[in-house]
Amino acid sequence: MDILVPVITMTALGFLFSIGLVLAYRKLRVEEDPKIEEVMEMLPQANCGACGYSGCRAFAEAVVQGKVEPSGCTVGGESVANDIAAALGVQAGEIIKKVARVHCRGTKEAAKDRGFYVGISTCSASHLVGGNKQCSYGCLGFGDCVRVCTFDAMHMNNEGLPVVSEEKCTACGKCVDACPRNILDLCHLSQNILVFCRSLDRGPTARKVCKNACISCGICARASPEAIVMEDNLAIIKDYKKIAPEHIPLIEKCPTDAIGRLSKDDEG
Amino acid sequence: MELVAIFVSAILINNFVLYYFLGICPFLGVSKKIESAFSMGLAVTFVMSITAVVSWAINNWILIPYELDYLEIVSFILVIASLVQLVEMFIRKISPPLYQALGIYLPLITTNCAIMGLALLASLNEYNFVETVIFGVGSGLGFTLAIILMAGIREQLDLAEIPEPLKGAGIALIVAGIMALAFSGFIGMIT
């Protein structure tokens, strides 16, 4: 029978407080737009922040208030944007599918090691001490980008470079932030010519440390002067849409393959 | 005089954050801006004061007369959780931006050990009603003081050159340690 006293006491206390809360809720209830919840359910719930808001909830609020177009969610892509647009009766907005690209071809074989690195096996740690590769701009190969990817869209290939799956990549940009050497970038999916090097070293040095480095010979820039420029010993594609089809064979004459089309190896 | 001693001691000497090391979670989490730190301090002060009063009442009118003091922790949790719910509803109604700024740390006051510590310490020290109220308000103000000082320092830290590995949580914890050291200078002020 002794057990009854505490049971009754706690039940009574709990009841008392819940009545208090119910009364308070009646007074303090906040009316919220039910559309926010509706949009929320359509979103991918990745909370990745690719849209520029602090999470899916914040994005849903912004969409409902009309501050941003439904296409702002790159992760959901076209289908989600269209669903939201239909539910809210607004325009979905233009969707440009982007994908993360690896701008380095410094494979284990091509880019020589600077020494034998035995520190913490992350790119950021290796980068702090100058990196394990001779090239001070290239991929370090420890896969920090692969680890931050929440969509399972990246993996390291046998040659020690990260590979992005076009299908799975949602262009959230986490890998771009994770890479201490800024090798990753979000590019339009349709961009077929890329520069696979970030080295600002001068030609001879660049060639010495990596077989696939841009040696700033300028062949590509002469082939397509409107689209490609040489800056700081590196070819830069200013506007890939200006690369005419007839320029492509000339660009592909690159002696080190530092610029060109994506090959099978670069895709997932 | 006794009351003044309890009040000053709760704010400066036995500061919950810097002496007992309770409530570190919001202390580090919401101390990036002075305004939100101040609001957090006020929310905690409110919850602490009311918790002190309600838990005193429950303890002295229900638990002790019926010899149920083993239910102390459970019933205090009930009090704290309900009060935090109340504060959450209130802030959400009054100021949505503040609700956003406090974020997860507002419901987390529920599990803030500083509040539970306050209720348990008050009953351990066998304070009477007035003393409990003073102790609750003082402890809340002590928390507010600590979190505002911390936020002030961290706002300055944003501009300082901090070694790469210490950025963020590292330097914040070092700062908290130095603050605790400074506050330990108050020990012995009231004997």
Side-chain angles (χ1 to χ4, degrees), chain B residues 38 47 51 53-54 88 120 123 126-127 141 143 156 167-168 177:
Chain B
F38 182 64
V47 175
T51 302
V53 174
V54 179
E88 200 181 336
L120 291 177
S123 98
E126 291 178 350
Y127 285 146
L141 291 179
F143 180 87
Q156 297 291 319
K167 273 183 184 161

Side-chain angles (χ1 to χ4, degrees), chain B residues 66-78:
Chain B
Y66 295 98
E67 291 174 355
L68 293 169
D69 25 356
Y70 57 89
L71 286 178
E72 210 173 47
I73 291 179
V74 188
S75 49
F76 288 175
I77 288 175
L78 202 64

Side-chain angles (χ1 to χ4, degrees), chain B residues 169-191:
Chain B
I171 193 79
L173 285 168
I174 291 175
V175 167
I178 296 173
M179 279 173 72
L181 211 59
F183 266 68
S184 72
F186 288 118
I187 295 174
M189 201 166 86
I190 294 170
T191 44

Side-chain angles (χ1 to χ4, degrees), chain A residues 6 9-10 13-14 17 21 24-25 28-30 32, chain B residues 62 68 70-71 74 78-79 82 85-86 89 92-93:
Chain A
T9 317
M10 287 312 290
L13 276 178
F17 284 122
L21 280 181
Y25 181 70
L28 297 171
R29 181 170 43 187
V30 178
E32 208 172 45
Chain B
I62 302 171
L68 293 169
Y70 57 89
L71 286 178
V74 188
L78 202 64
V79 174
S82 321
Q85 279 289 307
L86 192 69
M89 277 192 262
R92 199 169 174 193
K93 177 86 178 175

